[in-house]
Coordinates of all heavy atoms in Angstrom, one line a residue:
T68 N 213.2 18.2 188.1 CA 214.2 17.7 189.1 C 214.6 18.9 189.9 O 215.3 19.8 189.3 CB 215.4 17.1 188.4 OG1 214.9 16.1 187.5 CG2 216.3 16.4 189.4
G70 N 216.7 19.4 192.6 CA 218.2 19.5 192.7 C 218.7 18.4 191.8 O 218.4 17.2 192.0
T72 N 221.2 15.8 190.8 CA 222.2 15.1 191.4 C 223.5 14.9 190.6 O 224.6 14.7 191.1 CB 221.7 13.7 191.8 OG1 220.3 13.8 192.1 CG2 222.4 13.2 193.0
D97 N 210.5 16.3 191.5 CA 211.4 15.3 192.1 C 212.2 16.0 193.1 O 213.1 16.8 192.8 CB 212.3 14.7 191.0 CG 213.4 13.8 191.6 OD1 213.7 13.8 192.8 OD2 214.1 13.0 190.8
V99 N 214.1 14.7 195.5 CA 215.0 13.8 196.3 C 216.2 14.4 196.9 O 216.4 14.2 198.1 CB 215.4 12.6 195.4 CG1 216.3 11.6 196.2 CG2 214.2 11.8 194.9
V100 N 216.9 15.3 196.2 CA 218.1 15.8 196.8 C 217.8 17.2 197.4 O 218.7 18.0 197.8 CB 219.2 15.8 195.7 CG1 219.3 17.0 194.9 CG2 220.6 15.5 196.4
Q128 N 216.5 9.2 202.0 CA 217.9 9.0 202.3 C 218.8 10.2 202.0 O 220.0 10.1 202.1 CB 218.4 7.8 201.4 CG 218.5 8.1 199.9 CD 217.3 7.8 199.2 OE1 216.2 7.9 199.7 NE2 217.4 7.4 197.9
K129 N 218.2 11.3 201.5 CA 219.2 12.4 201.1 C 219.0 13.5 202.2 O 219.5 13.4 203.3 CB 218.9 12.8 199.7 CG 219.2 11.6 198.8 CD 219.8 11.9 197.5 CE 220.0 10.6 196.7 NZ 219.7 10.8 195.3
Ligands
LIG8 C1 219.1 10.2 194.4 C2 218.1 10.8 193.5 C3 217.1 10.0 192.9 C4 217.0 8.5 193.1 O1 216.7 8.1 194.3 P1 216.7 6.5 194.6 O2 216.0 6.4 195.9 O3 218.1 6.2 194.6 O4 216.0 5.9 193.5 C5 216.2 10.6 192.1 N1 216.2 11.9 191.9 C6 217.2 12.7 192.4 C7 217.1 14.2 192.1 C8 218.1 12.2 193.3 O5 219.1 12.9 193.8

Side-chain angles (χ1 to χ4, degrees):
T68 307
T72 328
D97 173 346
V99 180
V100 88
Q128 75 272 30
K129 300 217 182 142

